[in-house]
Amino acid sequence: MASLIKDQAVGIQDIDDIYPPNGTPLPLSVDVDQLHLWNEYHRKYWNSAERMSPTPLARLLADSLSRSQRVLELGCGSGSDAVFLQKQGHAVTATDFSEFAIHENTRFQEVSGVHFSVQDLRASLAFPDGAFDTVYARLSLHYFSDTVTREIFREIHRVLRPAGKILFTCRSTDDPLYGEGDDLGPDLFLSQGQIRHFFSEEYTRHVLSAEGRFTVDSLTLCDELIYNHRASVVQCSAHRSQGLST
C-alpha cells in the first residue's frame, strides 16, 4: 500500500493532488482501500466493550447542551454516542464514512430515534445551511490534508446556526503514532493503510479562526485510551462566529 502511494505521488507536492480541494474524491485505489479499511475495522470491533457505552467526550457534550438541541455527529462509528445524546432529549443526525457502520446502526434506527446516513467528509455535507445547533466529531477530522480539512470546517460552519457549537477531538502531534509510516505532508502520514493528520494546538486554533469562522472557547491537550492504547488528543470546543456563511 505504501509503495503504491509513493508511485502515485511521484512529482506531487501535496496530498491535495490525491484529495482535491473541492472535496470530490478521485477514483484512485487509495480511496477504495480507505473505505475497505474502515468497514473491516468496524466489523472487527463492532461488539467490543469500548464501543458499547458513550464516551467521556459525549458525556461532556451532554452536560453542556441546553434542552432539545439539533446535533450532527461526524464519524459516529458504532453509534453509541449518538444514541446516548438522543436519549438525553436531543435530535441527533449521525454520519459515518463506513457503509457497514451505517448499515448496522440503521437496523435499530426506529428504536434509537437517531437518523443515520453515510457521509464522506471530503464531499459537501448533505444538509442545508444552519440546520444544526451543535456539531460533534470524536476522532474523525484528522484523516485529511490541510486543504481538505479547511473545506470540512467551512462546511461545518455552513450547517451550524449562528453561534452554534462544535466539539471535537483529533490526534495530536504528541501522539505516540506521530511520525509512523510515509510522510505525505506537514503532520500527515500514511501508516498500515491509514492516513492520519496530527493536530497541534497552534494548528487547531489557526484552522478554526481562518476567515473568522469560529471562536475557540476551550482547547486542551489530553490523553485517552483508544482501543486499549494510549493516545494524545487535542480536545476543542468552539462556536460559530458571525462571519462568512459559505
Side-chain angles (χ1 to χ4, degrees), residues 66-80:
S66 55
R67 297 181 60 183
S68 303
Q69 297 290 286
R70 300 166 298 165
V71 179
L72 171 64
E73 182 175 6
L74 302 177
C76 66
S78 65
S80 59

Side-chain angles (χ1 to χ4, degrees), residues 49-65:
E50 184 174 345
R51 302 172 65 94
M52 302 305 288
S53 59
T55 64
L57 189 68
R59 294 183 185 278
L60 177 66
L61 177 62
D63 289 342
S64 71
L65 292 178

Side-chain angles (χ1 to χ4, degrees), residues 144-170:
F144 313 96
S145 69
D146 172 66
T147 300
V148 175
T149 299
R150 291 174 187 273
E151 291 294 332
I152 291 170
F153 279 107
R154 286 189 184 98
E155 279 293 288
I156 292 172
H157 180 276
R158 180 183 65 78
V159 301
L160 277 173
R161 64 166 174 79
K165 294 176 53 175
I166 176 172
L167 176 65
F168 67 95
T169 56
C170 293

